């Protein structure tokens, strides 16, 4: 009996977490599809963009910026390194591994930015630009929930 009560409440429309994950998966697939011509995913584009913005960050800095576990970031960075999009170097002062974009990484990021901007605009057109502020407010609130 308890299982059926739980199942009643655990459906796609009543579980906020599942609803948000489904929406995130859907939109990720859209961006991934568009970026596939460059053989990268939206998560990789985000990592490259943030590495550039932070200017040779450490693994911990990029992990904090992306709000991801350090091990997840390392796994993702290793893929980018194998693709020759980033390189690692030890910081002489603190002996910390710092990340930098390679020449290929900078080119890939520049090419991807054009695709990302087009995809972002298509999303906003379909979603409705009047909904953007509301969306940003809700995402910010969700990101800060602590219960």
């Amino acid at each position: 009996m308890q299982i059926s009560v739980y199942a009643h409440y655990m459906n796609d429309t009543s579980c906020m977490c599942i609803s948000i994950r489904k929406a995130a998966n859907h939109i990720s697939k859209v961006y991934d599809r568009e970026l596939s011509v460059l053989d990268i995913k939206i998560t990789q584009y985000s990592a490259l963009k943030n590495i550039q913005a932070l200017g040779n960050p450490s693994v911990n800095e990029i992990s904090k910026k992306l709000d991801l576990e350090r091990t997840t970031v390392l796994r993702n960075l290793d893929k980018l390194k194998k693709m020759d999009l980033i390189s690692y170097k030890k910081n002489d002062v603190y002996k910390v591994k710092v990340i930098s974009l390679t020449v290929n990484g900078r080119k890939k990021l520049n090419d991807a930015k054009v695709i990302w901007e087009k995809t972002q605009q298509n999303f906003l057109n379909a979603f409705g630009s009047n909904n953007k502020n509301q969306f940003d407010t809700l995402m910010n609130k969700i990101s800060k929930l602590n219960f």
Side-chain angles (χ1 to χ4, degrees):
M1 184 71 170
Q2 238 176 345
I3 293 173
S4 65
V5 170
Y6 176 75
H8 171 71
Y9 289 106
M10 185 63 185
N11 64 48
D12 291 345
T13 58
S14 68
C15 179
M16 299 298 288
C17 181
I18 297 299
S19 295
I20 291 168
R21 288 178 64 100
K22 285 175 101 175
N25 286 338
H26 173 72
I27 198 66
S28 291
K29 287 176 186 174
V30 171
Y31 281 78
D32 285 348
R33 182 186 66 231
E34 297 302 316
L35 289 166
S36 68
V37 298
L38 297 175
D39 292 322
I40 65 168
K41 296 182 176 292
I42 187 62
T43 52
Q44 294 167 323
Y45 170 75
S46 175
L48 294 172
K49 184 176 173 186
N50 282 287
I51 290 166
Q52 182 184 54
L54 292 171
N56 300 333
S58 68
V59 174
N60 286 339
E61 289 170 328
I62 195 74
S63 176
K64 185 176 179 179
K65 176 72 174 171
L66 295 174
D67 197 19
L68 293 171
E69 294 289 327
R70 189 176 189 280
T71 54
T72 301
V73 170
L74 279 169
R75 199 170 39 251
N76 292 338
L77 291 175
D78 284 343
K79 290 178 188 174
L80 293 175
K81 188 173 184 330
K82 287 177 184 170
M83 297 167 72
D84 189 36
L85 301 178
I86 64 163
S87 63
Y88 296 121
K89 187 172 105 178
K90 290 273 188 178
N91 177 311
D92 291 337
V93 177
Y94 301 108
K95 304 295 182 202
V96 174
K97 190 186 291 189
V98 294
I99 309 154
S100 58
L101 298 179
T102 63
V103 171
N104 289 339
R106 285 190 295 277
K107 180 174 180 355
K108 184 79 72 169
L109 179 58
N110 288 335
D111 293 345
K113 185 178 182 197
V114 174
I115 294 169
W116 179 87
E117 287 173 345
K118 178 180 158 255
T119 307
Q120 184 80 350
Q121 190 58 55
N122 289 342
F123 173 77
L124 289 172
N125 291 343
F127 185 67
S129 57
N130 57 333
N131 293 323
K132 186 186 181 319
N133 289 338
Q134 218 176 354
F135 175 79
D136 289 342
T137 300
L138 287 172
M139 291 297 103
N140 193 29
K141 279 185 181 179
I142 290 168
S143 296
K144 292 179 180 175
L145 287 176
N146 189 12
F147 54 94

